[in-house]
Amino acid sequence: MRHFFRAALAVARKDWQIELRTRYALNAMLLFAVVTAVLVSFRLGPLGLSRDRQAATTLAVLLWVAIFFAALNGLSRTFVREEEMRTAALLRLTTPPLAVYLGKLLINLLLLVALELLVTLLFVALMNARIAQPGLFALTLSLGGLGLAVATTIIAALVAKADGKSALFTVLAFPLLLPLLIVAVETTEVALAGSGWAQAAPGLRLLAAYTLAELAASLLLFERTWES
Amino acid sequence: MIRQLATPAKISTGLLLSFVAAAMFLWVPAHEGLGNVGRIVIVHVPTGWLTCVAFLVSALYSLLYLRRGRLSDDANAVAATELGLLFSLLSTVTGAIFAKVVWGTFWNWDPRETAIAVLMLIYAAYFALRTSLVPGVRQRRLSAIYALLASVSVPFLIFVIPRVTDSTLHPNCAILNTPNCAGLALTADGRIQGQVDDFRLKLLDVQESDTLLTATIEVRDPASGTLTTLQPSFDLVSGQPKAIERVPDTLREVQIKRVSGTASARTIEVALANVGNIGLLTDQRTLITFLVSLLGFTALFIWVWRLRALLLGLQAHVQGWNA
Amino acid sequence: MLRLADWLMIQCPVMNVTGSQTLRLTWHNLAKHYGARPVWQHLEGELSHGEVLVVSGPNGAGKSTLLRLLCGLETADAGSIIYEWRGQRWTPTQMRPFIGVVAPDIAVYRELTALENVHFFATARGQSVSSEQLHTQLAQVGLLERAHDQVAAFSSGMVLRLKYAVALIQQPTVLLLDEPTAMFDAAGRTLVEHIITAQRQRGITVIATNDARELAWGDLLLKAGSA
């Protein structure tokens, strides 16, 4: 098992090195996030929203719109590049399939953490967003991000095998992620408004359950996807 | 045995659906509250039900394909998905017509509307994935994997959707008019105010004789904001609601479903149901036609699904994709 | 659904299995189609420890396909491929950790340096390699001076040398070479010859080529596409 986790870490590290040198995914994601936040802020922020009673709702929706679409811009890159650069074959020959999945999941998580941090900072700076419960907010974004990473990683593996990859990624990911997004928006709203942990608990449980279910499905189905 | 039964089954499917088509317009009476548009239920509900069946069938055969790798499993899954897409369109269109006439809007992000929209998106995505892959083992495997991933995600909608919106326009009590319809318990000594959907209800007073209980309830209409005082009553002897009061200018009715507690501290369970839904199928001829329609459409589904799967399987064989 | 034991077998190559170190590869009644077009059918053959097989034939005769089947990158439509080694029978997929492949359509990472590539593929196999081993390997294929350069800046001959380094770092029991010298000069050709000679000690080699000079490297010759 030690070999296995070392292999998974090696995959993540290799992708991180490549990402730092090319910045394909990071640039696409972060620029999208900045453009979204700036565009939204022009009309709504920083003072426009604070006068609004529904500010928490609006902010939560916009925050997840920015995260979701920015993520879909970048998260398929690591898999798609393996197929396009024809390195997938050697990776299949050398690396246990699940180590590839976990490595890619790890790199996508890293990318998402960077993205969520940036989006949060932008919203605080440009929209004057006040986070009433920072702990809950961080937990929601972490759980939501984890679920997003788990689901998008396996879909990226699917999409990498198909033509018209970038358009297909959104089409495939959106219906699967809808339950996650709905709950994440709602729980983020609770965190922004500060309605308390009790209000957020069912949402957090759903996020965790969704993430676990998709993770289990991914672990079972990844080898088939990867070896197709 | 099954082969011998196939032809009679096909003929009876044709007969059943012919009966439904004719009965829907000629035999079934126009609904009291909804008028002629009420007839649409006879097509709307079975197509909606088959959309969900198609999704399950497609997920099941996708799993079988991954396990056994038979061409026929893949053909069955694809055929079910195609039919699912078709039936979801039928169900959505009929539902939208009904909604426009009765509720004044084609689309409302009502829970069931959300669910069917997501199913439609998944079906569409399935075919988008399939067409972007070269026909062959990889195409079949990847689409099966996607169908399975979707089947993991969809059940969460059941938990998620009721949280999206507080109100459903869809009847939960159309077929069986049970006390489980949207409602709440109002207690004379404690909780005298509550909310059903977006309507706020307030218990003002309870009058009680030996046989009859009459509650005075104030209802706030969320659309107009007007307050109305209604006096639904309940027959304590038979245990049935007596006076059912309509909230003015809406399609909602207030009725007392159940009464508990003693005379000094009553808990009254109040239901706020859609006028059109209560008894949508209580008419016997409507109910019979509806059940025949359900049976007929299900039989049609199975028939077309088998036929389409056979065709797809043959096609795959002929084109030599049986790698 | 998931047979954990099988799965772990593939995930973690069993290093301490005892039994005969000599290897035998057999393929039986093998068939492969692309669409409706059969590449070949009823292919039979075997290869023993120390032997070198050369597969030749016109374009589209399925030379590369056979190599891809031998390492489990593709599956046959019929027939079986079995490695007998260390007292067990291995499928191509189970054998993967012990197979080294060099082929034109199998690429290394352009964005990484030569050293990082070799290090990554060794670690990804679950191997722990010392920096000394890595350098020795790069020196063997003549890339020591360029160890810290990104592959994107390499000539095609140098990329091929790096592919050899990646394939050889784990001392593979099975070596599969598709067009082994397509980008090489005379020095490169000598290098491959040495590699193949050394491989006779470790196990078997399968070469897919049409180059007349390379046909002589094999003990056995399989002419594909003639059937």
Side-chain angles (χ1 to χ4, degrees):
Chain A
M1 286 312 270
R2 216 180 63 240
H3 294 306
F4 174 75
F5 287 113
R6 200 191 294 149
L9 278 178
V11 171
R13 214 187 63 170
K14 169 220 54 150
D15 275 333
W16 187 243
Q17 280 176 329
I18 293 176
E19 187 52 49
L20 286 182
R21 283 170 204 177
T22 61
R23 306 242 171 81
Y24 280 133
L26 271 176
N27 281 351
M29 286 167 62
L30 300 187
L31 280 176
F32 189 97
V34 170
V35 168
T36 313
V38 167
L39 196 63
V40 166
S41 149
F42 264 129
R43 185 64 189 87
L44 293 178
L47 294 174
L49 263 183
S50 38
R51 287 191 223 107
D52 191 346
R53 276 191 300 126
Q54 294 236 310
T57 315
T58 316
L59 270 178
V61 170
L62 290 174
L63 187 83
W64 277 99
V65 165
I67 291 173
F68 176 71
F69 286 101
L72 287 193
N73 258 327
L75 292 189
S76 64
R77 283 306 313 171
T78 57
F79 265 117
V80 170
R81 197 168 41 224
E82 300 280 1
E83 301 287 342
E84 277 175 357
M85 306 299 277
R86 298 194 299 182
T87 47
L90 203 46
L91 199 57
R92 277 164 66 190
L93 284 173
T94 51
T95 317
L98 283 193
V100 175
Y101 176 77
L102 289 181
K104 298 284 184 189
L105 179 61
L106 209 60
I107 189 82
N108 277 352
L109 266 176
L110 265 174
L111 289 171
L112 261 178
V113 167
L115 174 69
E116 287 186 340
L117 276 177
L118 179 77
V119 171
T120 308
L121 282 178
L122 283 171
F123 270 61
V124 169
L126 295 176
M127 314 275 294
N128 203 18
R130 278 194 209 91
I131 304 165
Q133 283 178 279
L136 178 59
F137 183 82
L139 185 61
T140 309
L141 252 63
S142 314
L143 269 176
L146 191 62
L148 195 62
V150 165
T152 48
T153 302
I154 182 94
I155 295 169
L158 276 176
V159 163
K161 311 266 180 188
D163 300 329
K165 298 173 170 75
S166 54
L168 202 57
F169 190 46
T170 317
V171 170
L172 295 189
F174 181 67
L176 293 201
L177 284 169
L178 198 64
L180 175 100
L181 289 175
I182 290 170
V183 182
V185 166
E186 204 194 43
T187 318
T188 308
E189 196 185 321
V190 172
L192 288 172
S195 323
W197 284 91
Q199 278 259 19
L204 292 174
R205 273 201 296 272
L206 265 174
L207 284 180
Y210 176 90
T211 307
L212 281 178
E214 287 290 345
L215 184 65
S218 300
L219 292 177
L220 286 171
L221 293 171
F222 180 75
E223 195 173 336
R224 295 286 194 145
T225 315
W226 181 234
E227 296 285 348
S228 286
Chain B
M1 180 70 182
I2 289 174
R3 265 173 209 288
Q4 282 167 347
L5 284 177
T7 308
K10 284 172 199 168
I11 292 170
S12 39
T13 304
L15 287 174
L16 287 177
L17 286 174
S18 314
F19 166 76
V20 169
M24 218 177 124
F25 295 103
L26 302 176
W27 192 48
V28 169
H31 187 271
E32 269 177 52
L34 298 167
N36 281 324
V37 75
R39 298 177 197 277
I40 216 161
V41 171
I42 287 162
V43 176
H44 174 65
V45 176
T47 47
W49 138 256
L50 286 170
T51 305
C52 304
V53 171
F55 185 77
L56 289 176
V57 170
S58 140
L60 178 70
Y61 275 94
S62 297
L63 181 65
L64 284 177
Y65 178 74
L66 283 186
R67 299 221 58 181
R68 308 193 296 201
R70 287 191 201 156
L71 269 183
S72 61
D73 291 336
D74 175 68
N76 274 321
V78 176
T81 316
E82 284 177 349
L83 281 176
L85 188 59
L86 182 72
F87 277 108
S88 67
L89 285 172
L90 284 176
S91 184
T92 309
V93 170
T94 51
I97 294 169
F98 184 86
K100 184 64 186 172
V101 175
V102 178
W103 299 321
T105 166
F106 282 115
W107 197 262
N108 188 48
W109 289 116
D110 172 272
R112 276 174 227 197
E113 287 173 358
T114 310
I116 206 157
V118 171
L119 281 185
M120 251 193 289
L121 282 176
I122 289 173
Y123 289 139
Y126 180 91
F127 288 113
L129 176 65
R130 234 183 138 84
T131 46
S132 68
L133 289 160
V134 185
V137 184
R138 174 190 278 190
Q139 181 204 40
R140 295 193 287 269
R141 264 197 208 158
L142 295 185
S143 35
I145 288 169
Y146 184 69
L148 285 177
L149 283 174
S151 71
V152 171
S153 166
V154 164
F156 282 92
L157 286 173
I158 298 166
F159 299 102
V160 168
I161 280 172
R163 305 157 60 80
V164 187
T165 157
D166 296 327
S167 67
T168 173
L169 294 172
H170 269 92
N172 284 316
C173 358
I175 295 169
L176 296 169
N177 199 1
T178 65
N180 296 328
C181 298
L184 83 160
L186 298 172
T187 317
D189 61 343
R191 187 177 173 211
I192 56 160
Q193 193 167 331
Q195 197 154 349
V196 181
D197 302 351
D198 285 338
F199 290 82
R200 198 177 313 137
L201 305 180
K202 200 175 189 178
L203 184 62
L204 298 179
D205 185 33
V206 180
Q207 297 279 323
E208 210 174 323
S209 70
D210 286 346
T211 56
L212 196 71
L213 178 143
T214 308
T216 309
I217 294 172
E218 186 187 77
V219 182
R220 184 179 174 277
D221 179 358
S224 59
T226 48
L227 296 171
T228 328
T229 309
L230 301 173
Q231 289 198 307
S233 61
F234 189 80
D235 190 329
L236 291 170
V237 179
S238 66
Q240 293 291 323
K242 191 149 192 221
I244 296 170
E245 300 259 292
R246 172 104 165 245
V247 184
D249 303 321
T250 68
L251 285 162
R252 304 284 189 139
E253 285 172 333
V254 175
Q255 57 174 298
I256 301 172
K257 282 292 191 182
R258 202 184 294 165
V259 169
S260 55
T262 58
S264 56
R266 282 290 191 202
T267 294
I268 297 161
E269 283 178 40
V270 180
L272 187 74
N274 289 316
V275 172
N277 303 323
I278 296 243
L280 200 58
L281 293 170
T282 44
D283 176 76
Q284 205 163 32
R285 280 188 273 176
T286 315
L287 184 64
I288 291 170
T289 314
F290 173 80
L291 291 176
V292 173
S293 165
L294 202 60
L295 191 69
F297 269 106
T298 309
L300 181 75
F301 173 85
I302 295 171
W303 180 18
V304 177
W305 169 55
R306 303 296 313 158
L307 195 67
R308 181 69 184 140
L310 189 71
L311 198 70
L312 286 167
L314 281 176
Q315 202 178 23
H317 268 294
V318 168
Q319 303 197 3
W321 299 337
N322 51 337
Chain C
M1 180 88 194
L2 178 75
R3 281 159 305 179
L4 193 65
D6 289 1
W7 179 69
L8 285 175
M9 271 287 287
I10 303 169
Q11 308 296 335
C12 310
V14 192
M15 296 303 191
N16 54 354
V17 182
T18 51
S20 166
Q21 288 293 314
T22 58
L23 170 75
R24 205 167 82 102
L25 161 66
T26 51
W27 57 96
H28 179 63
N29 198 22
L30 220 51
K32 181 76 188 174
H33 300 255
Y34 278 120
R37 188 177 65 85
V39 183
W40 20 251
Q41 282 169 319
H42 310 301
L43 204 65
E44 304 271 349
E46 65 168 76
L47 202 60
S48 302
H49 202 93
E51 287 181 330
V52 177
L53 170 73
V54 174
V55 188
S56 77
N59 292 335
K63 304 186 296 290
S64 304
T65 304
L66 181 62
L67 260 58
R68 292 174 76 84
L69 291 182
L70 289 178
C71 60
L73 276 182
E74 280 180 43
T75 45
D77 300 325
S80 60
I81 299 172
I82 293 291
Y83 291 92
E84 283 165 81
W85 186 47
R86 294 178 167 176
Q88 288 185 13
R89 294 158 69 85
W90 308 65
T91 65
T93 311
Q94 289 168 331
M95 198 65 194
R96 268 185 197 170
F98 313 99
I99 300 178
V101 184
V102 176
D105 59 346
I106 291 180
V108 293
Y109 294 99
R110 290 168 51 82
E111 300 87 349
L112 299 181
T113 67
L115 190 69
E116 284 166 345
N117 263 298
V118 182
H119 183 234
F120 166 68
F121 284 110
T123 322
R125 274 202 176 88
Q127 220 180 346
S128 34
V129 280
S130 65
S131 133
E132 197 187 341
Q133 274 173 295
L134 291 173
H135 284 94
T136 317
Q137 188 59 62
L138 282 174
Q140 191 203 344
V141 297
L143 282 179
L144 196 54
E145 282 89 64
R146 306 292 301 269
H148 295 285
D149 290 354
Q150 277 189 32
V151 176
F154 280 18
S155 73
S156 45
M158 288 162 68
V159 174
L160 187 54
R161 283 168 187 269
L162 178 60
K163 288 186 194 176
Y164 275 99
V166 168
L168 294 170
I169 183 70
Q170 37 119 20
Q171 317 229 316
T173 315
V174 180
L175 189 59
L176 306 177
L177 308 176
D178 192 358
E179 300 185 19
T181 60
M183 300 292 175
F184 273 167
D185 49 15
R189 198 176 294 278
T190 318
L191 170 68
V192 178
E193 227 174 321
H194 283 303
I195 289 170
I196 293 170
T197 312
Q199 183 63 22
R200 285 178 188 276
Q201 304 299 314
R202 268 201 299 259
I204 61 171
T205 312
V206 181
I207 306 170
T209 182
N210 277 328
D211 192 318
R213 288 166 295 185
E214 291 162 18
L215 295 181
W217 290 344
D219 310 311
L220 297 130
L221 181 65
L222 178 69
K223 276 203 190 287
S226 52

